[in-house]
Amino acid sequence: MQLLLVEDHQSSAQELSEALTQLDSQYVITHVTTVASALEELESGTVFDAALVDLGLQDARSLEAPRKLCEDFPDLIVVALTGETDSRPAPAVFRLGAQDFLHKGEHGVDGIDRALRSAIERNRREQSLEGVTKIDERTGSLNQRGCQGEVDNHPLGKLSHEICNQLNVVALEADVIQLAVGNGRVAEVDESIASIHQKCDQLASLVRQFLR
């Protein structure tokens, strides 16, 4: 996996890079410390499977990092990483186009690895729908792709998309639990359950924000 790691703390970046490559030798990690450097890497033509982006960078505080990357490279899979315990930025991060929002203290390397792979898989599924026409030639009616377009244009379309993204993550974590239980991997079960709790909190935050 070609991963762009945007993290300005050298020790944290080195520790995470080493842990990911030990977990899976197929990781090829390019580390940069600023959003400007990340944009340069992307503009150079290097193709990355995903970008893991810290929200506390010196040249892009809070939401600036995912905003710049998602605006300039909308096809890039972005997973936001924060050292803060506050989940309130999560809805805004998803609205910008990021695929996931993780807390450093709550996710070990296994959790980050799963989040990256889940984001890539969700993107692959979305891309697989690109070639589907909006009108079913047999029935002449809107098919699933066409209906999704109608939803996207609806005032509630963005909220629906964000909730669906979170529910996809919950479903994938449930799959991980099922597999881990069968193989006796208790640690993975605990991490997945913690991730499900986090995603449920983020879903609740989305709904509360909408109702304000």
Side-chain angles (χ1 to χ4, degrees), residues 1 20-28 117:
M1 181 191 299
L20 286 172
T21 52
Q22 287 177 4
L23 184 67
D24 188 340
S25 60
Q26 292 187 346
Y27 269 104
V28 178
R117 295 184 187 280

Side-chain angles (χ1 to χ4, degrees), residues 8 23 29 44 46-47 50 63 86 89 98 102 104-105 143 164 201 204:
D8 58 0
L23 184 67
I29 301 174
S44 72
T46 304
V47 178
L63 302 178
D86 188 1
L102 307 177
K104 292 180 180 179
N143 59 18
C164 285
D201 288 343

Side-chain angles (χ1 to χ4, degrees), residues 50-206:
L52 186 60
V53 184
D54 182 54
L55 296 184
L57 302 172
Q58 293 298 319
D59 70 332
R61 306 296 294 180
S62 188
L63 302 178
E64 283 303 307
R67 176 181 290 113
K68 289 181 179 178
L69 291 174
C70 291
E71 284 181 354
D72 290 7
F73 296 90
D75 293 331
L76 178 66
I77 297 172
V78 174
V79 173
L81 194 63
T82 179
E84 304 294 329
T85 57
D86 188 1
S87 293
R88 284 178 295 180
V93 169
F94 286 113
R95 280 196 295 272
L96 291 173
Q99 288 277 350
D100 210 341
F101 177 84
L102 307 177
H103 294 282
K104 292 180 180 179
E106 296 179 6
H107 292 82
V109 63
D110 289 336
I112 292 174
D113 174 66
R114 284 201 306 274
L116 288 168
R117 295 184 187 280
S118 296
I120 291 171
E121 176 61 19
R122 288 198 301 275
N123 184 71
R124 185 193 66 77
R125 291 175 183 174
E126 291 173 3
Q127 292 298 320
S128 69
L129 296 176
E130 290 297 327
V132 180
T133 58
K134 294 180 69 174
I135 302 296
D136 189 310
E137 295 180 359
R138 182 174 57 84
T139 64
S141 60
L142 282 172
N143 59 18
Q144 183 177 2
R145 179 66 174 173
C147 290
Q148 182 61 49
E150 297 297 316
V151 170
D152 289 341
N153 291 327
H154 191 278
L156 298 181
K158 289 184 178 180
L159 178 65
S160 172
H161 178 71
E162 292 163 17
I163 290 176
C164 285
N165 272 347
Q166 295 289 354
L167 289 174
N168 281 336
V169 174
V170 171
L172 287 167
E173 291 292 354
D175 289 341
V176 170
I177 289 175
Q178 185 177 27
L179 181 62
V181 167
N183 294 329
R185 298 198 300 269
V186 178
E188 289 188 22
V189 173
D190 291 339
E191 286 189 9
S192 292
I193 290 174
S195 178
I196 287 175
H197 282 304
Q198 181 194 31
K199 297 307 174 188
C200 289
D201 288 343
Q202 290 173 357
L203 279 169
S205 178
L206 281 170

